Amino acid sequence: MKKRTYNPIKKICLVIIGIILFFSLSGFPYLAQGAPTETSQLPFLSPQKPKPTESKPIAPPRPTRQGPSNPQEVEAFLDKFFTQEMQTEHVPGAVVALVKDGEILFSKGYGYADVEKKIPVVPDKTLFRVASISKLFTGTAVMQLYERGLLDLNKDINQYLKHFQIENPYPKPITLANLMTQTDGSSQRLFGIAARTAGEMVPLKEFIPDHMPPIVWQPGELYSYSNMGVTLAGYLVELISGVPFVEYINENILQPLNMRRSTFLQPLPPNLASDLAVGYQYQDDHWQSRPFLYLNIAPAASLSATATDMAHFMIAHLQNGRYENSRILNEETAQLMHRQQFTHHPKLPGITYSFHERLENNIRTIGHLGSLRGYSSSLTLLPDQNVGLFVGCNSFNGIHEKLSNQFINHYYPVQEKPVPPKSLPNFATQAERFTGVYRGVEYPHGSLASLGAPLGHLQVKANRDGTLTVQTPDLFFPERFIKTQLIPVEPLLFQRTDDDAYTAFGEDTQGNINYLFNPVGSRICAFRKIAWYETIPFQLSLAGFCAVVFLSVGITWLIRSLSHRFRKRRFQDDRLTRLAWLVAGLVGVLNLVFLIGLPIVTWRIGIWQLLYGVPVVMIALLCIPPVTTGMTLGLPTFAVVAWKNKNWSIVERVYYSLIAIASLAFIPFLVYWNLLGFQF
């Protein structure tokens, strides 16, 4: 390299270095704040939780725990609820079915199954897609094969699989019990779980081995909601019975329960298709219909049913497998299915074989929620009261959870307010063990969809009064901020002050706090404590620092190129210098294109479109990181040569070294978020 006496780039580099240092020291967005802690996931991880709205209680609790008994009183209660909530939540149509003591106590439709055609919802005619409630049917099918001796719930599932095997790096095998309690050690999967047409759907035998998420922790250790685990269980039903899954469910569950207007078929058969409620999304002040989503994960989410048919299913489970003169499970098998099979702590609600537990007003309920684009539903059983409640809607909303809560409060109010718990003495001295940032374990591991994981963060802080605070601020929806105080009642057990429910922590083998269980809401869930470099402030600051450097090098490279072309006195750069800045310029520009292009493309195509697979334009963008990573490895060499030869100005050498550092730091960022390569 030849030393030149005049270089206007020196001043530009000096200015750029100052800008980079300014933004780095200011920390970029969120650096001065605590780690954002939002429990909901991005829509492409699992359907995003509907925005909660304030609602007034339907009626003051009555001094009785006898439950619903008068159909007229039930109708008055539900009419008032749906009149209020359907308007608040913008729900076009809804249906409810209430069963008690083996009979349908009440059922009714509200609003429209088809808004444009003004077709009303009819309980025994209108079908709703009940999404994940389908998992209860798959679990019932597994239990049928279990009681016939065809399946062992505690046997390694790989011993049943013939055409493929599930890779499990842990010594403990994955069992059907793990699949039905969602403790198989896998996580969510997004890309490709749906198809645009029936012809594009993939058979289970081909779909599962290509889309099964990795096993990322020991089976039986943690609960993590997974559609693919239940889909695999459904495939085992098909494999062991020798009957296609949809046909098996129809013959062994739907027909015996007289569920004549229910099906797992996609599309629905002609005699049912015309009565399927249209799925809607409220947008721009009106309802917009959503296309039918053909699901490759049929055992986990493809059931369409009427409220009357779902009432039959609830009655059968409340009567331990019997509906009228038919029996789908032996009594002992049904009781086993309804019994808690896993929990993170003895005092926390857990999961049975497929049913999720809740404890409200000292009433144990088991059930399941269902959410799909254009549909929401819930099924709740009160086994000790012999009561079941089903609600379905043809829009994505939170009305079903509100109804469950208000139903319990109305018919089974708390008799005596619990005595406030006493905090453990001297807890303040050990409170710091529990503080930190925790991340929900259900995000898609090993996939670029893990970019949604930060929205599942929680932050735990210690208070001076010997309590803890769990904060769940939403980065993009501040109105959904939640703050919960925890009072220590046992070494790892805490009581929440907002709803008197329990939250627990978990320790690793060295006694360090590494897990947080059931911190908000009523459902079973787990959060893992993360390191400082995994927090949102650090990751955003790193990405912001790299973005500023990449932008600056792109501008610098452009200015150098124009100067070489248009200045009368050309720079006398040698070949190595030109090559060094060419590589730096390409790395900066391409990485910047990737950082900006990926979110723009995702937004433009719509996150829900990713359910069909990764579009070509996104695949094209994902070709950039491997290329820039290869070129980045040459930047340190150019920087070392420049410092050794001293033929660049000190400013240029410092600036080029900064470019090399930023580009190298960007590589672990890409690896951490599964962006280096094609990890779908």
Side-chain angles (χ1 to χ4, degrees):
M1 301 181 185
K2 295 181 180 180
K3 186 176 181 180
R4 56 180 182 271
T5 58
Y6 174 76
N7 187 353
I9 303 300
K10 175 180 179 180
K11 292 184 178 180
I12 298 174
C13 292
L14 191 60
V15 172
I16 290 174
I17 291 174
I19 294 173
I20 292 172
L21 289 175
F22 171 77
F23 278 105
S24 299
L25 292 175
S26 65
F28 289 93
Y30 308 106
L31 186 58
Q33 304 175 14
T37 53
E38 163 60 28
T39 57
S40 67
Q41 302 291 322
L42 278 177
F44 61 66
L45 296 180
S46 61
Q48 190 178 15
K49 293 180 182 178
K51 172 184 171 181
T53 54
E54 293 295 329
S55 60
K56 299 178 181 178
I58 296 303
R62 300 178 302 152
T64 177
R65 292 177 71 84
Q66 296 179 352
S69 57
N70 185 327
Q72 288 74 34
E73 188 279 332
V74 170
E75 183 172 23
F77 168 77
L78 293 174
D79 283 354
K80 190 170 184 178
F81 174 87
F82 282 103
T83 298
Q84 174 180 311
E85 295 298 338
M86 288 180 68
Q87 182 177 3
T88 302
E89 294 276 0
H90 302 294
V91 178
V95 70
V96 63
L98 177 65
V99 302
K100 183 178 182 181
D101 298 332
E103 297 180 350
I104 298 178
L105 179 64
F106 178 79
S107 65
K108 188 174 181 177
Y110 298 87
Y112 296 106
D114 189 315
V115 173
E116 291 78 13
K117 298 179 181 179
K118 301 298 181 183
I119 299 175
V121 174
V122 181
D124 59 357
K125 181 181 180 181
T126 307
L127 289 86
F128 288 81
R129 302 197 74 183
V130 299
S132 288
I133 294 179
S134 306
K135 294 176 173 66
L136 301 180
F137 289 75
T138 300
T140 301
V142 170
M143 298 305 291
Q144 287 179 336
L145 297 179
Y146 157 76
E147 71 178 19
R148 297 172 193 169
L150 299 177
L151 283 176
D152 185 338
L153 299 180
N154 298 308
K155 186 176 181 179
D156 188 341
I157 58 172
N158 278 329
Q159 296 184 31
Y160 292 112
L161 296 171
K162 301 176 182 178
H163 305 288
F164 60 87
Q165 295 283 284
I166 302 300
E167 295 184 11
N168 177 13
Y170 297 95
K172 191 174 181 180
I174 301 171
T175 66
L176 269 164
N178 295 141
L179 296 181
M180 290 200 296
T181 56
Q182 312 257 330
T183 59
D184 54 283
S186 69
S187 62
Q188 287 282 26
R189 181 59 79 210
L190 164 72
F191 302 113
I193 66 172
R196 289 183 173 84
T197 66
E200 295 178 4
M201 287 193 298
V202 183
L204 294 176
K205 182 173 70 174
E206 301 173 16
F207 176 78
I208 293 174
D210 290 337
H211 294 81
M212 190 69 189
I215 306 302
V216 291
W217 51 78
Q218 177 118 311
E221 179 180 320
L222 290 173
Y223 168 89
S224 177
Y225 191 81
S226 171
N227 286 312
M228 287 304 301
V230 178
T231 301
L232 178 57
Y235 173 66
L236 288 172
V237 169
E238 179 175 290
L239 186 66
I240 300 303
S241 68
V243 179
F245 173 80
V246 173
E247 184 178 333
Y248 179 92
I249 295 293
N250 184 56
E251 293 178 356
N252 294 274
I253 299 178
L254 302 184
Q255 290 186 20
L257 297 183
N258 195 27
M259 298 179 67
R260 304 296 180 184
R261 298 188 58 76
S262 300
T263 182
F264 271 79
L265 285 172
Q266 303 174 94
L268 276 65
N271 64 314
L272 300 178
S274 60
D275 292 322
L276 176 66
V278 177
Y280 290 98
Q281 178 180 348
Y282 192 78
Q283 191 172 346
D284 299 328
D285 295 327
H286 69 281
W287 287 302
Q288 299 179 5
S289 62
R290 301 292 90 188
F292 188 92
L293 203 61
Y294 294 91
L295 297 169
N296 289 317
I297 53 172
S302 73
L303 177 64
S304 300
T306 66
T308 300
D309 282 2
M310 293 304 297
H312 297 176
F313 182 75
M314 291 191 292
I315 290 172
H317 271 281
L318 288 169
Q319 297 187 150
N320 290 323
R322 179 180 63 83
Y323 174 75
E324 295 183 344
N325 296 323
S326 298
R327 181 169 284 281
I328 58 172
L329 290 174
N330 291 334
E331 187 170 350
E332 296 79 7
T333 306
Q335 291 173 349
L336 174 64
M337 185 177 181
H338 301 160
R339 191 178 306 146
Q340 185 190 89
Q341 301 296 333
F342 178 84
T343 182
H344 292 117
H345 188 281
K347 291 189 178 180
L348 297 183
I351 184 171
T352 76
Y353 285 141
S354 298
F355 290 91
H356 291 78
E357 286 185 314
R358 291 180 64 177
L359 187 63
E360 300 286 344
N361 297 356
N362 293 322
I363 298 289
R364 177 182 182 257
T365 70
I366 59 174
H368 214 292
L369 300 178
S371 295
L372 189 67
R373 196 183 191 199
Y375 300 92
S376 298
S377 56
S378 71
L379 182 150
T380 303
L381 302 181
L382 290 69
D384 294 337
Q385 287 71 32
N386 206 5
V387 169
L389 178 68
F390 169 79
V391 59
C393 305
N394 56 342
S395 68
F396 183 62
N397 59 75
I399 196 173
H400 42 77
E401 284 204 83
K402 290 184 181 180
L403 178 56
S404 297
N405 293 335
Q406 294 192 21
F407 179 86
I408 295 291
N409 289 333
H410 183 71
Y411 290 108
Y412 304 97
V414 174
Q415 297 295 294
E416 295 181 5
K417 191 172 182 179
V419 178
K422 293 183 179 180
S423 180
L424 288 178
N426 302 320
F427 174 76
T429 60
Q430 53 179 314
E432 292 300 322
R433 295 180 62 218
F434 301 87
T435 61
V437 179
Y438 295 75
R439 178 175 58 204
V441 302
E442 294 177 6
Y443 72 94
H445 295 253
S447 165
L448 64 89
S450 63
L451 285 167
L455 296 184
H457 282 195
L458 294 170
Q459 187 173 24
V460 177
K461 296 182 177 180
N463 303 317
R464 294 181 179 179
D465 60 356
T467 63
L468 299 176
T469 295
V470 176
Q471 293 182 330
T472 61
D474 189 324
L475 279 175
F476 307 110
F477 304 100
E479 66 272 17
R480 295 175 59 190
F481 177 86
I482 299 173
K483 191 173 184 179
T484 301
Q485 188 177 14
L486 304 180
I487 300 175
V489 292
E490 292 181 14
L492 296 176
L493 185 69
F494 294 73
Q495 188 167 357
R496 306 202 297 252
T497 57
D498 57 346
D499 57 8
D500 296 323
Y502 287 110
T503 291
F505 288 82
E507 294 178 322
D508 59 19
T509 54
Q510 286 76 41
N512 299 312
I513 300 296
N514 62 344
Y515 285 111
L516 171 63
F517 305 122
N518 297 30
V520 291
S522 57
R523 74 181 188 92
I524 179 175
C525 56
F527 292 75
R528 185 183 68 84
K529 196 172 187 179
I530 60 176
W532 60 269
Y533 58 83
E534 298 179 280
T535 61
I536 299 176
F538 178 84
Q539 291 293 321
L540 285 179
S541 297
L542 176 60
F545 167 75
C546 292
V548 171
V549 173
F550 296 151
L551 176 61
S552 71
V553 73
I555 295 173
T556 303
W557 182 42
L558 176 62
I559 293 175
R560 290 183 70 94
S561 299
L562 293 176
S563 297
H564 276 264
R565 181 176 297 276
F566 296 113
R567 285 183 62 86
K568 293 182 179 179
R569 181 181 179 182
R570 296 177 179 272
F571 292 129
Q572 300 301 313
D573 287 344
D574 57 44
R575 184 175 300 175
L576 187 59
T577 297
R578 291 196 297 271
L579 179 61
W581 284 101
L582 174 63
V583 172
L586 288 174
V587 169
V589 171
L590 290 175
N591 279 338
L592 192 62
V593 168
F594 178 75
L595 274 174
I596 297 175
L598 188 63
I600 290 178
V601 166
T602 303
W603 173 71
R604 290 289 297 174
I605 65 175
I607 291 179
W608 281 96
Q609 295 293 325
L610 299 178
L611 297 177
Y612 300 127
V614 181
V616 175
V617 63
M618 187 173 288
I619 294 176
L621 282 171
L622 290 170
C623 292
I624 294 177
V627 174
T628 56
T629 297
M631 291 191 294
T632 293
L633 299 179
L635 297 181
T637 301
F638 291 126
V640 169
V641 171
W643 282 100
K644 181 179 179 181
N645 294 341
K646 299 182 179 179
N647 56 341
W648 293 0
S649 69
I650 186 68
V651 173
E652 286 182 298
R653 280 179 277 164
V654 170
Y655 178 47
Y656 200 92
S657 299
L658 193 61
I659 295 171
I661 292 171
S663 301
L664 289 171
F666 193 57
I667 296 175
F669 176 85
L670 293 170
V671 172
Y672 182 79
W673 295 111
N674 303 297
L675 296 171
L676 188 56
F678 305 93
Q679 303 182 62
F680 308 146

